[in-house]
Amino acid sequence: MTDLKKHFAVIGNPIHHSLSPQIHIAFAKENGLDIDYEAVLSPLDQFKNTMHQLIQQKFTGANVTLPFKKEAYQLATTHSSHAKIAEAVNTLEFKENEIIGHNTDGIGLVRDLEQNLNVDLKSKKILLIGAGGAAEGVIYSMLEKKPSELMLTNRTIEKSRAIKNKMDMHAKGFNVNFNVIEIAKLPHQYFDLIINATSANFNNAELGIDHKVFHESSLAYDMMYGKETSYMKHAKSQGSRVSDGLGMLVEQAAEAFFIWHHIKPHTKSVIESLRAL
Ligand code: NDP
Protein backbone atom coordinates (compact mmCIF):
# COMPACT_ATOMS: atom_id res chain seq x y z
CA MET A 1 0.00 0.00 0.00
CA THR A 2 1.60 3.29 -1.02
CA ASP A 3 -1.26 5.75 -0.52
CA LEU A 4 -1.65 8.01 2.51
CA LYS A 5 -5.25 7.00 3.11
CA LYS A 6 -5.72 5.24 6.44
CA HIS A 7 -7.06 1.70 6.25
CA PHE A 8 -9.35 -0.04 8.73
CA ALA A 9 -11.35 -3.26 8.83
CA VAL A 10 -13.84 -5.23 10.88
CA ILE A 11 -13.01 -8.91 11.27
CA GLY A 12 -15.55 -11.59 12.13
CA ASN A 13 -17.14 -14.84 11.03
CA PRO A 14 -19.80 -14.36 9.71
CA ILE A 15 -19.25 -10.73 8.67
CA HIS A 16 -21.56 -9.98 5.72
CA HIS A 17 -24.19 -8.52 8.11
CA SER A 18 -21.78 -5.98 9.66
CA LEU A 19 -22.84 -2.32 9.63
CA SER A 20 -19.42 -1.16 10.86
CA PRO A 21 -18.10 -0.13 7.39
CA GLN A 22 -21.17 2.06 6.81
CA ILE A 23 -20.92 3.62 10.27
CA HIS A 24 -17.20 4.43 10.09
CA ILE A 25 -17.42 5.79 6.54
CA ALA A 26 -20.32 8.03 7.66
CA PHE A 27 -18.31 9.30 10.66
CA ALA A 28 -15.28 9.93 8.42
CA LYS A 29 -17.34 11.82 5.81
CA GLU A 30 -18.90 14.02 8.46
CA ASN A 31 -15.39 14.95 9.64
CA GLY A 32 -13.78 15.38 6.22
CA LEU A 33 -11.56 12.28 6.53
CA ASP A 34 -10.88 10.04 3.56
CA ILE A 35 -10.57 6.54 5.01
CA ASP A 36 -10.93 3.03 3.77
CA TYR A 37 -12.91 0.56 5.93
CA GLU A 38 -13.71 -2.98 4.83
CA ALA A 39 -15.38 -6.08 6.26
CA VAL A 40 -13.00 -9.06 6.39
CA LEU A 41 -14.17 -12.63 6.82
CA SER A 42 -11.57 -14.61 8.75
CA PRO A 43 -11.62 -18.41 8.71
CA LEU A 44 -12.38 -19.58 12.26
CA ASP A 45 -8.88 -20.99 12.81
CA GLN A 46 -7.01 -18.18 11.03
CA PHE A 47 -7.70 -15.07 13.13
CA LYS A 48 -4.06 -14.44 14.02
CA ASN A 49 -2.89 -14.84 10.41
CA THR A 50 -5.67 -12.59 9.15
CA MET A 51 -4.64 -9.87 11.59
CA HIS A 52 -0.95 -10.18 10.73
CA GLN A 53 -1.81 -9.73 7.06
CA LEU A 54 -3.59 -6.48 7.90
CA ILE A 55 -0.60 -5.32 9.95
CA GLN A 56 1.76 -6.11 7.04
CA GLN A 57 -0.50 -4.11 4.75
CA LYS A 58 -0.08 -1.14 7.13
CA PHE A 59 -3.66 -0.98 8.38
CA THR A 60 -4.09 1.58 11.17
CA GLY A 61 -6.63 -0.36 13.19
CA ALA A 62 -9.40 -2.93 13.23
CA ASN A 63 -12.66 -3.78 14.92
CA VAL A 64 -13.21 -7.35 16.01
CA THR A 65 -16.54 -9.06 16.32
CA LEU A 66 -17.95 -12.54 16.98
CA PRO A 67 -16.31 -14.96 17.63
CA PHE A 68 -12.83 -13.41 17.87
CA LYS A 69 -12.97 -10.93 20.77
CA LYS A 70 -11.10 -13.26 23.16
CA GLU A 71 -8.46 -14.04 20.52
CA ALA A 72 -8.06 -10.31 19.87
CA TYR A 73 -7.37 -9.92 23.60
CA GLN A 74 -4.58 -12.52 23.31
CA LEU A 75 -3.18 -10.83 20.20
CA ALA A 76 -2.93 -7.36 21.77
CA THR A 77 0.38 -6.55 23.46
CA THR A 78 -1.10 -3.69 25.56
CA HIS A 79 -4.66 -3.37 26.89
CA SER A 80 -6.94 -0.53 27.97
CA SER A 81 -8.41 -0.92 31.46
CA HIS A 82 -11.84 -1.93 30.09
CA ALA A 83 -10.28 -4.58 27.81
CA LYS A 84 -8.19 -5.93 30.68
CA ILE A 85 -11.23 -6.33 32.94
CA ALA A 86 -13.42 -7.90 30.23
CA GLU A 87 -10.53 -10.00 28.86
CA ALA A 88 -12.02 -9.25 25.44
CA VAL A 89 -11.11 -6.75 22.73
CA ASN A 90 -13.29 -5.23 20.00
CA THR A 91 -10.96 -2.44 18.83
CA LEU A 92 -7.28 -2.71 17.90
CA GLU A 93 -4.72 -0.02 17.19
CA PHE A 94 -1.67 -1.11 15.21
CA LYS A 95 1.35 0.93 16.31
CA GLU A 96 5.02 0.63 15.28
CA ASN A 97 5.96 -1.84 18.01
CA GLU A 98 2.74 -2.70 19.75
CA ILE A 99 -0.86 -3.75 19.23
CA ILE A 100 -3.19 -1.93 21.62
CA GLY A 101 -6.47 -3.65 22.51
CA HIS A 102 -9.57 -1.76 23.67
CA ASN A 103 -13.11 -2.76 24.55
CA THR A 104 -15.69 -0.12 23.64
CA ASP A 105 -18.86 -2.26 24.03
CA GLY A 106 -19.56 -1.16 27.61
CA ILE A 107 -19.04 2.52 26.83
CA GLY A 108 -21.31 2.08 23.79
CA LEU A 109 -24.12 0.54 25.82
CA VAL A 110 -23.93 3.11 28.61
CA ARG A 111 -23.87 6.05 26.16
CA ASP A 112 -26.86 4.67 24.28
CA LEU A 113 -28.80 4.28 27.52
CA GLU A 114 -27.83 7.63 28.98
CA GLN A 115 -27.55 9.92 25.97
CA ASN A 116 -30.00 8.45 23.45
CA LEU A 117 -32.59 6.85 25.75
CA ASN A 118 -32.27 9.28 28.68
CA VAL A 119 -31.83 6.56 31.31
CA ASP A 120 -29.74 7.54 34.32
CA LEU A 121 -28.22 4.29 35.63
CA LYS A 122 -27.35 5.67 39.07
CA SER A 123 -29.34 3.90 41.82
CA LYS A 124 -31.28 1.80 39.29
CA LYS A 125 -32.05 -1.93 39.59
CA ILE A 126 -30.61 -3.69 36.56
CA LEU A 127 -30.95 -7.25 35.30
CA LEU A 128 -28.42 -8.52 32.74
CA ILE A 129 -29.46 -11.70 30.91
CA GLY A 130 -26.61 -13.65 29.28
CA ALA A 131 -23.10 -14.68 30.21
CA GLY A 132 -21.26 -14.53 26.90
CA GLY A 133 -18.70 -12.03 25.67
CA ALA A 134 -21.23 -9.21 25.24
CA ALA A 135 -22.55 -9.50 28.80
CA GLU A 136 -19.10 -9.74 30.33
CA GLY A 137 -17.87 -6.81 28.25
CA VAL A 138 -20.45 -4.34 29.57
CA ILE A 139 -20.51 -5.16 33.30
CA TYR A 140 -17.67 -2.88 34.40
CA SER A 141 -19.04 0.13 32.50
CA MET A 142 -22.42 -0.38 34.19
CA LEU A 143 -20.87 -0.78 37.65
CA GLU A 144 -19.03 2.52 37.11
CA LYS A 145 -22.44 4.22 36.89
CA LYS A 146 -23.28 3.02 40.42
CA PRO A 147 -26.67 1.34 40.00
CA SER A 148 -28.16 0.17 43.30
CA GLU A 149 -28.34 -3.38 41.99
CA LEU A 150 -26.88 -5.37 39.11
CA MET A 151 -28.19 -8.93 38.87
CA LEU A 152 -26.83 -11.50 36.43
CA THR A 153 -28.80 -14.41 35.03
CA ASN A 154 -28.25 -16.93 32.27
CA ARG A 155 -29.60 -20.22 30.92
CA THR A 156 -26.37 -21.82 32.17
CA ILE A 157 -26.32 -20.19 35.59
CA GLU A 158 -22.78 -21.43 36.45
CA LYS A 159 -21.43 -19.05 33.82
CA SER A 160 -23.12 -16.10 35.58
CA ARG A 161 -21.58 -17.25 38.86
CA ALA A 162 -18.11 -17.42 37.31
CA ILE A 163 -18.44 -13.87 35.95
CA LYS A 164 -19.77 -12.64 39.30
CA ASN A 165 -16.81 -14.11 41.15
CA LYS A 166 -14.41 -12.48 38.71
CA MET A 167 -16.05 -9.04 38.92
CA ASP A 168 -16.96 -9.02 42.62
CA MET A 169 -14.04 -6.85 43.73
CA HIS A 170 -15.05 -4.12 41.26
CA ALA A 171 -18.68 -4.14 42.44
CA LYS A 172 -17.57 -3.79 46.07
CA GLY A 173 -15.55 -0.72 45.11
CA PHE A 174 -18.70 0.90 43.67
CA ASN A 175 -20.95 -0.25 46.52
CA VAL A 176 -23.37 -2.04 44.16
CA ASN A 177 -25.54 -5.00 45.18
CA PHE A 178 -24.05 -7.37 42.59
CA ASN A 179 -25.36 -10.92 42.47
CA VAL A 180 -26.64 -13.87 40.45
CA ILE A 181 -30.34 -14.66 40.21
CA GLU A 182 -31.87 -17.86 38.85
CA ILE A 183 -34.30 -17.48 35.97
CA ALA A 184 -37.12 -19.10 38.01
CA LYS A 185 -36.89 -16.32 40.63
CA LEU A 186 -37.20 -13.41 38.20
CA PRO A 187 -41.00 -12.83 38.42
CA HIS A 188 -40.63 -11.98 42.12
CA GLN A 189 -38.14 -9.16 41.55
CA TYR A 190 -38.50 -5.64 40.18
CA PHE A 191 -35.98 -4.21 37.70
CA ASP A 192 -35.88 -0.73 36.16
CA LEU A 193 -33.75 -1.97 33.30
CA ILE A 194 -33.62 -5.48 31.80
CA ILE A 195 -30.89 -6.11 29.24
CA ASN A 196 -30.92 -9.09 26.91
CA ALA A 197 -27.30 -9.91 26.07
CA THR A 198 -27.99 -13.40 24.71
CA SER A 199 -27.86 -14.65 21.15
CA ALA A 200 -31.13 -16.61 21.56
CA ASN A 201 -32.78 -14.61 18.82
CA PHE A 202 -30.20 -15.73 16.23
CA ASN A 203 -32.02 -19.06 16.12
CA ASN A 204 -35.44 -17.53 16.83
CA ALA A 205 -35.31 -19.33 20.18
CA GLU A 206 -37.38 -18.18 23.15
CA LEU A 207 -35.41 -16.98 26.17
CA GLY A 208 -37.63 -18.72 28.68
CA ILE A 209 -38.03 -15.59 30.84
CA ASP A 210 -41.36 -15.13 32.65
CA HIS A 211 -43.07 -12.06 31.18
CA LYS A 212 -43.97 -10.89 34.69
CA VAL A 213 -40.42 -9.55 34.99
CA PHE A 214 -41.43 -6.71 32.63
CA HIS A 215 -43.29 -3.71 34.11
CA GLU A 216 -44.77 -0.53 32.72
CA SER A 217 -41.99 1.49 34.29
CA SER A 218 -39.13 -0.71 33.08
CA LEU A 219 -37.00 -0.49 29.97
CA ALA A 220 -36.33 -3.77 28.14
CA TYR A 221 -33.14 -3.42 26.10
CA ASP A 222 -32.09 -6.02 23.53
CA MET A 223 -28.48 -5.88 22.32
CA MET A 224 -29.64 -7.46 19.06
CA TYR A 225 -30.57 -5.00 16.34
CA GLY A 226 -32.19 -4.97 12.94
CA LYS A 227 -35.59 -6.33 13.88
CA GLU A 228 -38.09 -6.46 16.71
CA THR A 229 -37.16 -9.59 18.65
CA SER A 230 -39.63 -11.79 20.51
CA TYR A 231 -38.00 -10.51 23.73
CA MET A 232 -38.99 -6.97 22.73
CA LYS A 233 -42.50 -8.09 21.75
CA HIS A 234 -43.07 -9.78 25.13
CA ALA A 235 -41.81 -6.73 27.01
CA LYS A 236 -44.05 -4.44 24.95
CA SER A 237 -47.07 -6.64 25.68
CA GLN A 238 -46.48 -5.97 29.40
CA GLY A 239 -46.35 -2.21 28.79
CA SER A 240 -42.54 -1.85 29.02
CA ARG A 241 -40.57 0.63 26.99
CA VAL A 242 -38.24 -1.25 24.60
CA SER A 243 -35.08 -0.62 22.63
CA ASP A 244 -32.88 -2.67 20.35
CA GLY A 245 -29.05 -2.44 20.34
CA LEU A 246 -28.55 -0.30 17.23
CA GLY A 247 -27.64 2.73 19.34
CA MET A 248 -25.08 0.64 21.26
CA LEU A 249 -23.55 -0.49 17.97
CA VAL A 250 -23.14 3.08 16.73
CA GLU A 251 -21.90 4.39 20.10
CA GLN A 252 -19.26 1.65 20.46
CA ALA A 253 -18.14 2.48 16.91
CA ALA A 254 -17.96 6.18 17.84
CA GLU A 255 -15.62 5.35 20.72
CA ALA A 256 -13.42 3.27 18.37
CA PHE A 257 -13.42 6.20 15.92
CA PHE A 258 -12.30 8.49 18.75
CA ILE A 259 -9.48 6.10 19.66
CA TRP A 260 -8.19 6.04 16.07
CA HIS A 261 -8.81 9.64 14.96
CA HIS A 262 -9.11 11.60 18.25
CA ILE A 263 -12.41 13.03 16.99
CA LYS A 264 -15.81 12.46 18.63
CA PRO A 265 -18.28 11.91 15.78
CA HIS A 266 -21.98 12.78 15.94
CA THR A 267 -23.97 9.59 16.38
CA LYS A 268 -27.64 10.58 16.29
CA SER A 269 -27.86 11.16 12.52
CA VAL A 270 -26.07 7.86 11.84
CA ILE A 271 -28.44 5.95 14.15
CA GLU A 272 -31.42 7.60 12.43
CA SER A 273 -30.20 6.83 8.92
CA LEU A 274 -29.47 3.17 9.77
CA ARG A 275 -32.87 2.83 11.42
CA ALA A 276 -34.51 4.24 8.31
CA LEU A 277 -32.92 1.44 6.29
P1 NDP B 1 -22.05 -15.43 23.00
O1 NDP B 1 -22.17 -16.49 22.00
O2 NDP B 1 -20.73 -15.17 23.64
O3 NDP B 1 -23.10 -15.66 24.22
C1 NDP B 1 -24.33 -16.22 23.99
C2 NDP B 1 -25.25 -16.06 25.21
O4 NDP B 1 -26.58 -16.29 24.76
C3 NDP B 1 -24.98 -17.05 26.35
O5 NDP B 1 -25.29 -16.43 27.57
C4 NDP B 1 -25.99 -18.16 26.03
O6 NDP B 1 -26.41 -18.92 27.14
C5 NDP B 1 -27.16 -17.34 25.55
N1 NDP B 1 -28.09 -18.10 24.69
C6 NDP B 1 -27.88 -18.54 23.43
N2 NDP B 1 -28.98 -19.18 22.98
C7 NDP B 1 -29.89 -19.16 23.99
C8 NDP B 1 -31.21 -19.65 24.14
N3 NDP B 1 -31.81 -20.32 23.16
N4 NDP B 1 -31.85 -19.45 25.31
C9 NDP B 1 -31.25 -18.78 26.32
N5 NDP B 1 -29.99 -18.28 26.24
C10 NDP B 1 -29.31 -18.46 25.08
O7 NDP B 1 -22.57 -14.10 22.26
P2 NDP B 1 -22.20 -12.61 22.61
O8 NDP B 1 -22.21 -12.46 24.08
O9 NDP B 1 -20.98 -12.18 21.88
O10 NDP B 1 -23.42 -11.80 21.93
C11 NDP B 1 -24.71 -11.83 22.51
C12 NDP B 1 -25.62 -10.88 21.73
O11 NDP B 1 -25.23 -9.52 21.86
C13 NDP B 1 -25.67 -11.17 20.24
O12 NDP B 1 -27.01 -11.10 19.83
C14 NDP B 1 -24.87 -10.04 19.63
O13 NDP B 1 -25.30 -9.72 18.32
C15 NDP B 1 -25.22 -8.90 20.59
N6 NDP B 1 -24.20 -7.84 20.60
C16 NDP B 1 -24.59 -6.59 20.25
C17 NDP B 1 -23.69 -5.54 20.27
C18 NDP B 1 -24.16 -4.18 19.89
O14 NDP B 1 -23.30 -3.30 19.69
N7 NDP B 1 -25.45 -3.94 19.80
C19 NDP B 1 -22.28 -5.72 20.65
C20 NDP B 1 -21.98 -7.09 21.05
C21 NDP B 1 -22.91 -8.10 21.00
P3 NDP B 1 -25.59 -20.24 27.60
O15 NDP B 1 -24.41 -19.72 28.35
O16 NDP B 1 -26.56 -20.98 28.44
O17 NDP B 1 -25.22 -20.98 26.34
Side-chain angles (χ1 to χ4, degrees):
M1 240 175 250
T2 53
D3 58 332
L4 293 174
K5 211 184 214 184
K6 285 186 176 172
H7 295 261
F8 301 89
V10 57
I11 292 85
N13 187 333
I15 200 63
H16 63 274
H17 65 285
S18 177
L19 295 174
S20 292
Q22 256 171 282
I23 296 170
H24 279 271
I25 297 290
F27 287 160
K29 251 190 200 157
E30 174 211 329
N31 289 288
L33 301 178
D34 187 17
I35 66 158
D36 196 51
Y37 190 113
E38 60 188 277
V40 174
L41 176 74
S42 172
L44 291 173
D45 59 351
Q46 292 294 319
F47 175 72
K48 217 170 157 189
N49 286 343
T50 307
M51 298 313 290
H52 281 298
Q53 277 169 23
L54 298 184
I55 293 168
Q56 268 171 13
Q57 291 170 48
K58 303 272 178 252
F59 273 59
T60 303
N63 286 129
V64 179
T65 187
L66 254 153
F68 299 124
K69 289 183 187 178
K70 291 278 175 194
E71 280 187 74
Y73 176 81
Q74 303 295 341
L75 182 83
T77 54
T78 312
H79 302 91
S80 71
S81 58
H82 282 90
K84 216 179 265 174
I85 291 167
E87 293 177 4
V89 157
N90 75 340
T91 303
L92 289 162
E93 283 181 275
F94 304 133
K95 301 276 190 191
E96 195 71 26
N97 293 313
E98 60 178 349
I99 303 172
I100 309 175
H102 302 262
N103 192 317
T104 65
D105 280 339
I107 294 164
L109 172 67
V110 166
R111 282 206 191 130
D112 190 33
L113 288 165
E114 291 195 335
Q115 293 173 18
N116 302 325
L117 300 166
N118 296 317
V119 179
D120 182 2
L121 299 180
K122 192 167 170 11
S123 305
K124 292 291 189 307
K125 295 184 174 201
I126 305 175
L127 173 67
L128 181 63
I129 311 168
E136 195 168 353
V138 301
I139 289 174
Y140 187 72
S141 297
M142 286 199 290
L143 289 172
E144 281 183 315
K145 294 291 166 182
K146 300 187 180 165
S148 64
E149 195 172 291
L150 178 57
M151 292 287 159
L152 309 181
T153 197
N154 189 45
R155 177 176 64 177
T156 314
I157 201 76
E158 295 74 28
K159 285 197 202 164
S160 297
R161 292 208 177 96
I163 294 179
K164 189 223 169 237
N165 291 341
K166 206 175 102 182
M167 302 291 287
D168 243 352
M169 60 176 177
H170 301 297
K172 285 200 180 94
F174 293 118
N175 200 18
V176 178
N177 177 15
F178 180 56
N179 223 323
V180 170
I181 181 165
E182 285 177 27
I183 284 177
K185 294 197 177 137
L186 291 179
H188 311 293
Q189 297 285 321
Y190 173 79
F191 298 100
D192 300 294
L193 171 63
I194 303 155
I195 301 171
N196 179 17
T198 75
S199 52
N201 205 70
F202 269 135
N203 307 315
N204 292 318
E206 288 291 329
L207 259 183
I209 299 284
D210 193 318
H211 303 172
K212 283 192 209 125
V213 74
F214 301 115
H215 293 267
E216 279 181 14
S217 54
S218 44
L219 169 67
Y221 190 97
D222 198 332
M223 284 195 193
M224 280 278 292
Y225 49 85
K227 66 173 179 180
E228 191 176 63
T229 61
S230 63
Y231 166 83
M232 290 162 74
K233 282 182 192 148
H234 291 319
K236 248 187 189 172
S237 73
Q238 299 300 109
S240 290
R241 192 180 160 205
V242 299
S243 175
D244 72 358
L246 184 66
M248 173 181 172
L249 178 80
V250 175
E251 296 295 345
Q252 65 76 27
E255 184 62 17
F257 192 87
F258 178 72
I259 288 166
W260 292 329
H261 307 285
H262 310 291
I263 297 170
K264 282 194 180 204
H266 289 113
T267 51
K268 282 207 169 129
S269 57
V270 177
I271 295 171
E272 278 163 20
S273 63
L274 289 175
R275 211 173 280 296
L277 290 176

